[in-house]
Amino acid sequence: MSALFAIAASSSSPFHLLGWICLGIFIASLALVVLEERLHLRKSKPVILAACAIWTLICIVQGGDPEAKAAISSRLHHMLAEYCDLLLFLMVAMVYVGAMKALGVFNILRAKLMSASLGYHGLYWALGACAFCISPFADNLTTAMVMGSVVMAVANGDRRFAVPGFIHVVVAANAGGVPSPFGDVTSLMVWQRGKLAIDEFLPLIPPAVIAWLVPALLMSFFLPKSSPLVDAEPAPVSKNGIVVVILFGITIIFSVIMKHRYGLPPSLGMMTGFGLFAIHSYFATRSAVRQSELEEAKRADIFTMVEKSEFDTLLFFFGVIFAIGGLSHLGWLAMLNTQVVENWGCASLCILAGLLSCIVDNIPMMYAVLEMNPDMSLWHWQLVTLTTGIGGSILAVGSAAGVALMGVAKGEYTFMAHLRYSWAVLIGFFAAVGVHWLMR
């Protein structure tokens, strides 16, 4: 046994005992992530444990050699810096989105849709259009939750509308987030790594539209032809809510400028916006005159929003980055890069990553491709951004939006219900790839 471990300390091939053990640990953690809804085990827990176990084994086996120890330390510090950049960026985005939800900014859109006297078909297309247009700025998870709440209210237990409606929202939100670093974590990771500039995401808009419209059109034939019996009066947006929306826009602009013009981490721009929000939160509390204003200011207080951030998701990214980084250190990704890219080509790698993302989750798949760092053209990096962004919609467990909606839909939207329409989403996936190929 010790001899087999000793081989791992000097071999660049992953086919040794340490490599197989670490790969098995990671696969087991991903299996628990896929079964999150059934086991009620938060996805961050198994992945964090797997990441720490992988690097502990690497340190025990390879840490005796000073040169290997220096390489391990350097790799860990690099991943830590990468994770901190992602953590700060997403935390600020979550704070702003949480504040807008607390101040009722999204309730206005929801009330207007519900009071528009549209039939099921009209609401279906209005929800999809809103999800597609909002997700580039508010992220696909938040967008899916907001639009999903409208589906629940409108459907009122009618699964003929609820199931296609939920799937439509997931597909539209995921597709809309593809052409924007602020709409999907996979797009954000590609942007932060410098693989695509902010303007190089724009050619992804046409295939993203196709990835939304094709399955939406196919599922629309299964909708009921009646009209829902709902009514909701739109509520006005408070002054505080308008200010937060403006500050969020300024924050996004700061992030783009920091990255595009000065080559600095975009999280620096996001933290600038965090500071602006902190000062605004202070003055909003101090200047409140009526009790309702004070309660509103406290509800959207910056540290209250930090507490309500989705730390399960943020910690899940820690586990993914460090676990895949460990497998890369052991040579698994280099081997996969050689086998897939050299034998099948870069386009096959991009499409395969997208298809696998519906099972494994798109974030680990994108990070694996980034760690492999294959010699790909701009067109290929756009393709893998597209496929991993929309591939998660094929199954309900493939994206955070689908998993979150399953949790709040109270049995109306399930894995099996989504599976009934997966064929439509899969057709949209290949139609989007085809459009991107034609645009080449």
Side-chain angles (χ1 to χ4, degrees), residues 15 21 147 150 161 215 261 264 281 287 322 338 345 363 374 379 388:
F15 299 112
I21 290 175
M147 296 297 106
V150 181
F161 176 77
R261 184 175 180 84
L264 297 173
S281 179
S287 61
F322 278 77
T338 301
I363 294 164
W379 183 86
T388 54

Side-chain angles (χ1 to χ4, degrees), residues 262-329:
Y262 300 107
L264 297 173
S267 58
L268 184 60
M270 295 297 283
M271 289 305 292
T272 303
F274 186 85
L276 291 173
F277 187 19
I279 298 300
H280 164 71
S281 179
Y282 168 77
F283 282 110
T285 305
R286 292 292 298 270
S287 61
V289 178
R290 295 187 293 272
Q291 181 65 25
S292 59
E293 292 178 344
L294 181 60
E295 290 176 358
E296 181 185 80
K298 289 182 177 180
R299 193 165 61 245
D301 178 72
I302 189 165
F303 291 110
T304 302
M305 293 300 102
V306 171
E307 291 174 5
K308 293 182 177 180
S309 296
E310 185 56 47
F311 279 98
D312 177 47
T313 301
L314 296 175
L315 293 173
F316 173 70
F317 296 148
F318 169 87
V320 166
I321 289 174
F322 278 77
I324 294 180
L327 297 181
S328 176
H329 180 81

Side-chain angles (χ1 to χ4, degrees), residues 190-243:
V190 173
W191 184 50
Q192 287 183 318
R193 283 287 186 100
K195 300 300 182 182
L196 296 178
I198 193 74
D199 58 314
E200 290 169 342
F201 283 92
L202 298 180
L204 292 174
I205 294 177
V209 171
I210 294 299
W212 159 48
L213 287 180
V214 169
L217 180 62
L218 293 172
M219 290 188 295
S220 68
F221 294 108
F222 299 91
L223 293 173
K225 293 181 169 52
S226 56
S227 298
L229 299 174
V230 293
D231 188 26
E233 288 295 324
V237 188
S238 66
K239 179 182 176 182
N240 195 13
I242 295 173
V243 173

Side-chain angles (χ1 to χ4, degrees), residues 12 51 63 103 120 204 221 302 307 333 343 353 358 362 379-380:
S12 59
L103 295 171
Y120 276 125
L204 292 174
F221 294 108
I302 189 165
E307 291 174 5
L333 298 187
N343 294 332
C358 72
N362 53 359
W379 183 86
H380 286 109

